[in-house]
Amino acid sequence: MTLVLRNLQTVIPLRRALLRRNTEALRHILGVKQYDLGVICVDNKKIQLINYQYKKKDCPTDVLSFPYHENLTAGELPKSLCPDDYNLGDIFLGVEFIYQQCQEEKDDFYSVLTVTTAHGLCHLLGYQHRTESEWTQMFEKEKQILGVLSKLTGRNLQPLTEKC
């Protein structure tokens, strides 16, 4: 199905083709190419507003995920009853926030953007990190899919997930 990739920010120059290619590869690795997915790139002001509206946190962040399906079980694909239900949801990437973190940590921006997208995809598939066991399960899933993507791209992509 469709990947909609929108860049709604102008603060950080963004090569969408690379992000699209890596996101499509992640969808393939996860076996979710039959599902629609939205990836929206925003600046600090917009991600902070969304973070406050939905999480009651008044600060910018790297990623916010909004699953289309409710009551997801980590590791299981969403149950779709009709064609319109073949939708994973939306990932908002705080591109400016991610870029600033990369500058501070001396990390490659596009690698971190890809890893952050993988993290968001895992959330759309029911993975969480509220508890130690959930964190471990999500970390292992991210490690697995990023390992496959690393082999395809020649990059050394590692999960960014912090312990709860």
Side-chain angles (χ1 to χ4, degrees), residues 80-139:
S80 300
L81 302 175
C82 66
D84 288 345
D85 284 346
Y86 281 88
N87 189 335
L88 289 180
D90 296 313
I91 300 170
F92 284 82
L93 294 173
V95 172
E96 182 180 3
F97 184 86
I98 294 167
Y99 183 82
Q100 290 168 341
Q101 294 291 102
C102 288
Q103 293 295 102
E104 290 172 17
E105 302 294 324
K106 307 287 190 254
D107 287 329
D108 177 71
F109 173 63
Y110 287 97
S111 292
V112 174
L113 205 56
T114 299
V115 170
T116 306
T117 302
H119 183 84
L121 271 166
C122 285
H123 277 303
L124 295 183
L125 293 170
Y127 291 90
Q128 298 296 327
H129 45 82
R130 295 174 297 224
T131 66
E132 185 75 24
S133 63
E134 286 179 341
W135 178 88
T136 300
Q137 185 181 30
M138 186 167 184
F139 181 83

Side-chain angles (χ1 to χ4, degrees), residues 8-72:
L8 301 181
Q9 59 85 44
T10 56
V11 179
I12 306 301
L14 185 64
R15 295 190 327 241
R16 286 186 304 172
L18 180 57
L19 179 57
R20 176 178 294 283
R21 187 168 50 249
N22 288 339
T23 303
E24 289 287 13
L26 287 167
R27 291 174 69 212
H28 177 74
I29 292 163
L30 286 164
V32 296
K33 292 217 32 128
Q34 72 273 31
Y35 292 88
D36 290 331
L37 171 65
V39 177
I40 302 99
C41 300
V42 295
D43 59 22
N44 279 350
K45 184 177 178 182
K46 186 66 171 176
I47 199 91
Q48 181 171 342
L49 176 66
I50 298 167
N51 201 16
Y52 183 72
Q53 285 177 326
Y54 291 94
K55 306 280 186 180
K56 301 301 180 222
K57 295 181 181 178
D58 194 18
C59 57
T61 189
D62 56 352
V63 62
L64 293 168
S65 298
F66 297 94
Y68 179 82
H69 296 271
E70 297 177 354
N71 304 317
L72 295 165

